[in-house]
C-alpha cells in the first residue's frame, strides 16, 4: 500500500477545477499586500527579533501575485479566443491526452520519448 498505487497510472486523473481564477489570484494578491502594509509600522519590532523576513515574504507574495494576475488574465483571454475553434472542430477537440495522440484510452499509457 505504498505510493505506487497512486502513481502506477491505473487511476484516471480527476477533471481540473475551473472557476473564477482571476478573482482568486487577485484576492490572494490583495491579502499579501494587506499583510505587508499591516506589518510595516512594526518594522522595528520585527528587526529587534530577527523576523523582518515576515515583511519581505508578504511583499514577495504580493509582487508574485501581480505576475499571477497578468498570467491568468492572458490565459483566460487565450481560452476565450480558442473556444470558437474548439467548438467548430467538434467533440474530439475536447478529448483527453490519450485521444489527442490518436490512441484509445484502453491502449495504456502513452510511450515516452
Amino acid at each position: 500500500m505504498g505510493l505506487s498505487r497512486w502513481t502506477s497510472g491505473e487511476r484516471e486523473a480527476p477533471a481540473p477545477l475551473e472557476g473564477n481564477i482571476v478573482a482568486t489570484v487577485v484576492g490572494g494578491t490583495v491579502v499579501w499586500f494587506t499583510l505587508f502594509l499591516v506589518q510595516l509600522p512594526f518594522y522595528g519590532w520585527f528587526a529587534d527579533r530577527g523576523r523582518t523576513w515576515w515583511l519581505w515574504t508578504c511583499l514577495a507574495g504580493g509582487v508574485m501575485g501581480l505576475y499571477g494576475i497578468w498570467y491568468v488574465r492572458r490565459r483566460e483571454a487565450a481560452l476565450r479566443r480558442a473556444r470558437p475553434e474548439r467548438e467548430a472542430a467538434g467533440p474530439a477537440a475536447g478529448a483527453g491526452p490519450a485521444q489527442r495522440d490518436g490512441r484509445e484510452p484502453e491502449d495504456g499509457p502513452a510511450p515516452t520519448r
Side-chain angles (χ1 to χ4, degrees):
M1 177 134 111
L3 188 61
S4 65
R5 83 175 206 178
W6 298 102
T7 60
S8 66
E10 295 174 10
R11 295 177 180 263
E12 187 173 325
L17 296 175
E18 292 294 331
N20 193 347
I21 298 170
V22 175
T24 303
V25 174
V26 168
T29 303
V30 167
V31 168
W32 280 116
F33 275 127
T34 302
L35 288 170
F36 173 73
L37 292 174
V38 166
Q39 293 177 12
L40 195 57
F42 303 101
Y43 183 85
W45 186 88
F46 286 115
D48 292 344
R49 288 158 180 79
R51 303 274 189 235
T52 55
W53 63 270
W54 288 14
L55 283 100
W56 307 128
T57 300
C58 294
L59 183 61
V63 170
M64 288 191 299
L66 292 176
Y67 172 73
I69 293 168
W70 172 81
Y71 183 84
V72 296
R73 289 188 69 199
R74 286 196 50 183
R75 177 183 179 270
E76 292 291 321
L79 290 173
R80 273 194 304 276
R81 283 192 308 271
R83 187 172 295 132
E85 296 170 10
R86 281 195 319 263
E87 290 171 356
Q99 288 85 10
R100 273 190 239 129
D101 65 4
R103 299 172 333 100
E104 293 301 319
E106 59 271 358
D107 289 345
T112 57
R113 295 182 185 180

